[in-house]
């Protein structure tokens, strides 16, 4: 397999002789904080490595001298995936899935672009698409992965955001959603489980042999995989994307407050677009749906990490005013390391035995006064002590919570002249974005369970509960873990303790992207 050689912009190893390089790194402004690059010296040599590190730093990248915990991207040259993995094992790295393993061609593309570029398949150190059955290294890399040892439970798999099989999982998710819209739970779950397994695979599927031995690969799933391998896309998914019912449901459910029931009703009434729904003045909309339509454009555009951080500051500041001891934690997708989300989820708890019923009301009242509250629905706690955890894996929890839409003022950046309006120009510039926020209040003794439950992903949560009941005779929900054999509730102060109660290896939040 031929790897793309680095272009001439970067001197090759042999040309290095006589090039003077300072040994101590100079300090440069860091422009790209989100990634930390480590360049492997193996087969590259000290001098070339030093040159590349200096080059990247000069361009604003963070480059680590050592393979530290902060490293996110490992760059290698002339090394196969197997060689890099072997080297990592030698460095006592237990879990290599937390890094992106990349070829020098990715690094070069970044240097040329002057910014991080998305890693494409061709940049990744994995089994390559074009590898033929005669290429021994490729075959051994794919087959050295013990597919038959992959657990059927997502809570026994470390699934990072590094998805090598996006074209398969995207198709599965469309099929699953279509089943959901048609209220076929089993069909939906079958494809969600399959998607979750493929998100875990450390290589892209290029032939049917690559999925041999994997769990959750039923005939329907295999059929879709085969179609994508042969045709490059799924004809079933393509058909669904053109299906009138699917298209309408997809649109309707994108409105905050609109679920399957309302979508079904509107579809039966003959509506196909949001404009048609809005034009029907006799339609009774809930308060949530009115807010959903009002802030539709903002809400459908995803929340960025920077926006989530800004909301997080706002929430921490406000909560702290009323309850200085309170712990405020970002949960959901952002805790799992996602860079975007449809909302921002928060868990709030107060250390100590006292539960503050009023805290959420006080916080929300203040936002109202400050003009920051665009919508809010507080649901009071319905938790009953000693009640057994729910048997249903998709059951909702009983915490006091608030589904809100907050006004997030966008920071004024760049040329301030744009904010100076002429006397005649009375049109106001919108300088804020509506952000969907979920706030959950948990009693301190349930905090670890609430944190585990609200971190997700949903598939990870489903499988944790299924694992607890099928493999351990225990019942788990967002409040507690009950051991049916011992007939006791198991206390936990941390997520690690819950995994230990279940006899599971601890899975970090960023490995729960199942
Ligand atoms: N959750 C829960 N009970 C609910 C809603 C959610 O236990 N009623 C859990 C499951 C996942 C987690 O909380 C966060 O839920 P979402 O915000 O829906 O998902 P996400 O992973 O944060 O994804 P997104 O980026 O779309 O917000
Ligand atoms: Mg979320």
């Amino acid at each position: 397999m031929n790897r793309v050689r680095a272009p001439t912009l970067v001197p090759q190893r042999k040309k290095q002789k006589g090039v003077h390089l300072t040994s101590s790194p100079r300090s440069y402004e860091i422009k790209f904080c989100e990634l930390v690059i480590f360049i492997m010296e193996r087969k590259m040599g000290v001098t070339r490595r030093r040159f590349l590190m200096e080059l990247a730093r000069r361009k604003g990248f963070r480059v680590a001298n050592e393979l530290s915990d902060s490293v996110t991207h490992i760059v290698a040259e002339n090394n196969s995936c197997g060689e890099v993995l072997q080297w990592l094992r030698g460095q006592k790295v237990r879990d290599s899935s937390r890094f992106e393993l990349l070829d020098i061609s990715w690094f070069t593309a970044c240097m040329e672009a002057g910014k991080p570029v998305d890693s494409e398949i061709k940049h990744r150190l994995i089994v390559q698409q074009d590898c033929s059955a005669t290429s021994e290294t490729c075959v051994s890399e794919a087959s050295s992965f013990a597919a038959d040892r992959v657990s059927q439970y997502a809570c026994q798999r470390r699934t990072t955001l590094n998805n090598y099989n996006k074209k398969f999982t995207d198709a599965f998710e469309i099929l699953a959603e279509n089943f959901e819209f048609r209220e076929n739970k089993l069909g939906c779950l079958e494809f969600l489980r399959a998607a979750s397994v493929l998100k875990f695979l450390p290589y892209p599927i290029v032939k049917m042999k690559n999925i041999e031995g994997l769990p959750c690969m039923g005939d329907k799933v295999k059929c879709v995989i085969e179609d994508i391998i042969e045709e490059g896309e799924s004809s079933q998914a393509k058909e669904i994307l053109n299906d009138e019912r699917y298209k309408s449901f997809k649109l309707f459910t994108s409105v905050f407050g609109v679920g399957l029931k309302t979508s079904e009703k509107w579809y039966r009434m003959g509506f196909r677009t949001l404009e048609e729904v809005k034009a029907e003045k006799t339609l009774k909309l809930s308060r949530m749906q009115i807010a959903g339509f009002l802030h539709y454009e903002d809400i459908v555009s995803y929340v960025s990490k920077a926006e989530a951080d800004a909301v997080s500051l706002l929430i921490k500041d406000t909560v702290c005013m009323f309850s200085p001891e309170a712990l405020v934690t970002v949960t959901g997708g952002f805790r799992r390391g996602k860079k975007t989300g449809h909302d921002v989820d928060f868990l709030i708890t107060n250390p100590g035995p006292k539960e503050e019923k009023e805290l959420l009301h006080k916080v929300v009242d203040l936002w109202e006064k400050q003009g920051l509250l665009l919508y809010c629905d507080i649901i009071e706690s319905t938790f009953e002590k000693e009640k057994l955890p729910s048997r249903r894996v998709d059951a909702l929890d009983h915490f006091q919570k608030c589904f809100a839409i907050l006004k997030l003022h966008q920071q004024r950046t760049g040329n301030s002249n744009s904010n100076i309006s002429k006397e005649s120009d009375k049109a106001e510039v919108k300088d804020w974005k509506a952000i969907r926020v979920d706030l959950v209040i948990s009693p301190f003794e349930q905090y670890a369970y609430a944190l585990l439950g609200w971190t997700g992903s949903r598939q990870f949560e489903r499988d944790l509960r299924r694992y607890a009941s099928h493999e351990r005779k225990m019942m788990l929900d967002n409040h507690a873990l009950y051991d049916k054999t011992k007939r006791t509730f198991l206390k936990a102060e941390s997520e690690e303790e819950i995994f230990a109660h279940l006899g599971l290896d601890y899975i970090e939040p960023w490995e729960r992207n199942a």
Side-chain angles (χ1 to χ4, degrees):
M1 176 184 56
N2 289 323
R3 292 218 180 277
V4 187
R5 272 307 291 190
T8 45
L9 124 98
V10 184
Q12 293 297 318
R13 191 177 175 181
K14 283 199 178 113
K15 294 181 200 160
Q16 287 295 304
K17 278 182 191 153
V19 175
H20 174 73
L21 287 162
T22 47
S23 54
S24 61
R26 287 172 45 195
S27 56
Y28 296 105
E29 184 201 348
I30 293 172
K31 289 196 214 148
F32 315 110
C33 302
E34 64 279 12
L35 72 175
V36 180
I37 300 173
F38 175 81
I39 303 177
M40 253 177 80
E41 191 184 300
R42 190 178 183 275
K43 291 197 185 172
M44 178 185 281
V46 184
T47 322
R48 178 163 160 78
R49 176 176 185 255
R50 214 187 285 154
F51 174 87
L52 296 178
M53 285 167 67
E54 169 83 6
L55 178 71
R57 284 183 178 133
R58 208 161 53 224
K59 288 186 183 275
F61 287 80
R62 286 169 70 190
V63 183
N65 290 328
E66 313 286 337
L67 189 62
S68 62
D69 282 349
S70 58
V71 170
T72 56
H73 292 58
I74 295 181
V75 173
E77 185 169 37
N78 294 327
N79 282 276
S80 73
C81 183
E83 287 171 311
V84 175
L85 290 176
Q86 196 178 6
W87 180 82
L88 283 171
R89 278 193 290 273
Q91 302 297 306
K92 304 275 181 287
V93 172
R94 269 193 306 143
D95 175 27
S96 56
S97 65
R98 66 191 170 100
F99 306 115
E100 280 217 45
L101 305 181
L102 297 155
D103 183 68
I104 191 75
S105 57
W106 171 78
F107 180 90
T108 312
C110 292
M111 295 307 111
E112 282 178 337
K115 61 179 187 196
V117 299
D118 286 341
S119 60
E120 296 168 31
I121 296 264
K122 67 178 181 197
H123 297 134
R124 296 180 188 168
L125 289 173
I126 39 173
V127 188
Q128 295 291 304
Q129 297 269 5
D130 59 355
C131 91
S132 68
T134 51
S135 166
E136 269 177 38
T137 43
C138 292
V139 172
S140 73
E141 276 166 25
S143 56
S144 68
F145 179 79
D148 52 350
R149 297 231 306 269
V150 173
S151 169
Q152 61 152 312
Y153 298 107
C155 54
Q156 289 188 306
R157 305 190 293 254
R158 294 177 195 278
T159 314
T160 63
L161 289 166
N162 207 354
N163 179 3
Y164 295 116
N165 290 292
K166 197 167 174 330
K167 69 176 172 192
F168 297 95
T169 58
D170 281 354
F172 290 0
E173 280 165 5
I174 292 166
L175 267 74
E177 200 171 29
N178 189 46
F179 279 124
E180 188 191 352
F181 291 164
R182 291 170 186 276
E183 289 181 54
N184 177 343
K185 271 196 185 154
L186 287 179
C188 175
L189 264 183
E190 181 178 0
F191 279 98
L192 287 182
R193 283 194 186 138
S196 172
V197 169
L198 295 198
K199 283 179 186 174
F200 164 77
L201 272 197
Y203 53 81
I205 296 164
V206 290
K207 53 189 171 199
M208 290 310 280
K209 211 171 158 30
N210 294 145
I211 61 161
E212 259 176 32
L214 285 177
C216 310
M217 299 288 122
D219 287 345
K220 281 193 234 145
V221 168
K222 278 188 183 149
C223 204
V224 178
I225 295 178
E226 200 157 23
D227 198 17
I228 297 176
I229 291 174
E230 280 168 14
E231 305 298 328
E233 60 182 3
S234 157
S235 52
Q236 280 185 58
K238 210 171 154 188
E239 224 170 87
I240 290 170
L241 288 175
N242 280 316
D243 177 67
E244 195 169 25
R245 185 185 159 97
Y246 176 84
K247 282 196 288 189
S248 310
F249 270 59
K250 188 83 188 152
L251 256 183
F252 298 160
T253 54
S254 70
V255 180
F256 174 54
V258 178
L260 293 187
K261 256 198 215 150
T262 308
S263 300
E264 180 79 52
K265 190 174 102 188
W266 291 351
Y267 189 75
R268 283 204 189 158
M269 288 171 82
F271 301 132
R272 297 295 179 263
T273 66
L274 292 178
E275 282 61 41
E276 287 168 9
V277 175
K278 279 193 275 189
E280 179 57 64
K281 298 291 174 214
T282 59
L283 215 56
K284 255 196 122 176
L285 298 178
S286 70
R287 209 167 58 85
M288 208 180 221
Q289 291 161 355
I290 292 170
F293 273 117
L294 204 55
H295 305 292
Y296 183 77
E297 293 303 331
D298 278 358
I299 294 175
V300 286
S301 83
Y302 280 100
V303 183
S304 69
K305 176 76 171 68
E307 287 163 346
D309 289 342
V311 173
S312 179
L313 268 183
L314 171 72
I315 291 180
K316 282 178 183 164
D317 281 352
T318 319
V319 169
C320 196
M321 282 171 65
F322 300 108
S323 190
E325 306 282 286
L327 264 174
V328 179
T329 313
V330 176
T331 60
F334 287 107
R335 184 162 185 250
R336 302 195 309 273
K338 276 177 64 178
K339 297 277 183 278
T340 56
H342 91 277
D343 65 0
V344 200
D345 306 285
F346 291 91
L347 180 63
I348 302 168
T349 191
N350 232 333
K354 203 171 112 263
E355 202 184 324
E356 266 219 66
K357 261 183 90 179
E358 288 312 306
L359 176 63
L360 198 51
H361 293 272
K362 288 181 199 161
V363 166
V364 163
D365 286 349
L366 182 66
W367 287 336
E368 174 93 75
K369 280 196 197 110
Q370 294 173 328
L372 298 179
L373 196 69
L374 297 170
Y375 173 83
C376 157
D377 182 15
I378 293 187
I379 297 172
E380 294 302 336
S381 166
T382 51
F383 179 71
E384 294 167 39
K385 273 213 163 102
E386 301 301 318
K387 200 172 165 206
L388 293 187
S390 170
R391 281 178 191 281
R392 286 181 37 227
V393 287
D394 277 321
L396 296 178
D397 63 40
H398 302 279
F399 293 120
Q400 183 193 35
K401 55 175 83 71
C402 169
F403 302 118
I405 304 177
L406 289 189
K407 185 186 256 192
L408 179 70
H409 284 285
Q410 269 147 359
Q411 251 146 34
R412 285 166 210 272
T413 51
N415 192 348
S416 56
N417 285 341
S418 59
N419 292 323
I420 303 170
S421 53
K422 283 184 236 136
E423 271 301 296
S424 58
D425 183 9
K426 288 276 190 264
E428 263 184 55
V429 182
K430 179 169 167 274
D431 63 348
W432 54 270
K433 183 176 169 189
I435 309 268
R436 269 277 301 115
V437 170
D438 284 350
L439 301 171
V440 179
I441 310 273
S442 102
F444 191 56
E445 72 275 8
Q446 295 174 21
Y447 175 72
Y449 287 103
L451 182 61
L452 180 60
W454 274 88
T455 297
S457 67
R458 282 175 189 268
Q459 194 53 34
F460 190 88
E461 302 299 327
R462 275 189 204 109
D463 280 4
L464 258 178
R465 294 175 192 199
R466 202 161 58 91
Y467 178 87
S469 77
H470 293 194
E471 305 295 331
R472 301 281 170 209
K473 289 203 169 53
M474 292 182 185
M475 295 161 88
L476 173 74
D477 67 6
N478 289 2
H479 301 270
L481 178 63
Y482 181 77
D483 187 327
K484 290 205 279 186
T485 321
K486 293 186 189 148
R487 296 190 183 181
T488 53
F489 282 95
L490 303 172
K491 289 201 164 108
E493 284 183 9
S494 64
E495 290 177 307
E496 282 88 342
E497 281 180 46
I498 305 173
F499 280 86
H501 284 321
L502 290 165
L504 287 169
D505 286 341
Y506 182 63
I507 308 276
E508 297 280 358
W510 42 268
E511 297 169 326
R512 298 181 203 162
N513 286 293

